[in-house]
Amino acid sequence: MPFSTDTENSFEKDIFFAINILRNNPRGFIPHVQRVHQKNLCKGSKSMGNIIDKLKNMTKVSTVKFDDEAIRAVRSNNEAICGKAEDAPEEGGNQAKLAEITGREPAGGEASCFNYTGDSAEEFVALLLYKDFDKYEALEQKPEPLEGEKNIESPLLNSRMISFGVSNKAHSKCLNSIQIVYIFSLVNKLNDAEGSAAAGNGNGDGHAMM
């Protein structure tokens, strides 16, 4: 279980569990992906087929943890975003804040979501999958995976993702602001479906899901 200091509200904790459910049982997450499409929460997206194909065919990947520095970064960035009270806040800023805190360029990714009106963490994570796959498909030149790296279409599925931080705050102009930063292992630490792992070093500040 996450420590009480890792989250500031129940939705942040629910997102933690939803991400790990996705990574541990990708095929079982398909109904959430379909529901997002049925509710038209991903207007204009054509990624449902690609997401479902990926979830059907991929093996589970390792459980991820909360990271202290990532949590600090998203909370600080989100406080600044909400403090500005803009009608249309700019996405991003989480990786930059993490670099400011750690003094090094982070390996990983980030996500920003505003005005989420639902109450399901699984639905929210499925919505993030759509955003990630849409961005990946829009790339003219797809990145090459590193040796042993799998599922590069989304940080949520990426085999190198080992920890993250999330901040969910009320926003005066757009209901809420949800900020996430993902941390990737610098040396691959990959668990296969049987739970075996390749050699590698991660960030020691993470808190495991029990």
Side-chain angles (χ1 to χ4, degrees), residues 57-100:
N57 295 302
M58 68 177 279
T59 56
K60 70 177 183 178
V61 284
S62 59
T63 297
V64 294
K65 311 170 183 179
F66 274 127
D67 178 87
D68 292 338
E69 291 173 335
I71 292 168
R72 285 177 56 200
V74 291
R75 286 179 182 174
S76 177
N77 185 45
N78 214 5
E79 184 176 351
I81 290 171
C82 295
K84 292 178 182 177
E86 296 174 328
D87 292 329
E90 185 176 349
E91 294 188 2
N94 299 297
Q95 283 190 296
K97 182 58 68 173
L98 182 59
E100 179 184 315

Side-chain angles (χ1 to χ4, degrees), residues 48-187:
M48 183 175 72
N50 290 336
I51 298 171
I52 289 176
D53 285 345
K54 168 61 71 172
L55 298 184
K56 279 183 178 178
N57 295 302
M58 68 177 279
T59 56
K60 70 177 183 178
V61 284
S62 59
T63 297
V64 294
K65 311 170 183 179
F66 274 127
D67 178 87
D68 292 338
E69 291 173 335
I71 292 168
R72 285 177 56 200
V74 291
R75 286 179 182 174
S76 177
N77 185 45
N78 214 5
E79 184 176 351
I81 290 171
C82 295
K84 292 178 182 177
E86 296 174 328
D87 292 329
E90 185 176 349
E91 294 188 2
N94 299 297
Q95 283 190 296
K97 182 58 68 173
L98 182 59
E100 179 184 315
I101 289 171
T102 63
R104 60 184 182 274
E105 194 67 25
E110 63 183 326
S112 297
C113 183
F114 305 101
N115 204 38
Y116 175 65
T117 59
D119 58 5
S120 165
E122 289 83 6
E123 178 183 272
F124 174 74
V125 169
L127 183 59
L128 293 182
L129 279 177
Y130 276 94
K131 294 179 69 172
D132 288 341
F133 271 72
D134 287 348
K135 289 177 184 177
Y136 181 80
E137 290 304 318
L139 294 174
E140 292 186 6
Q141 184 172 353
K142 303 293 190 289
E144 290 292 329
L146 299 181
E147 183 178 356
E149 185 177 24
K150 301 175 184 178
N151 315 320
I152 64 173
E153 298 90 342
S154 169
L156 292 163
L157 304 176
N158 196 298
S159 55
R160 290 180 58 212
M161 207 261 276
I162 55 173
S163 56
F164 73 104
V166 58
S167 173
N168 168 44
K169 291 185 180 297
H171 192 285
S172 60
K173 298 294 180 63
C174 53
L175 187 62
N176 51 34
S177 169
I178 305 173
Q179 304 298 319
I180 302 177
V181 66
Y182 309 103
I183 295 180
F184 287 8
S185 60
L186 297 179
V187 178

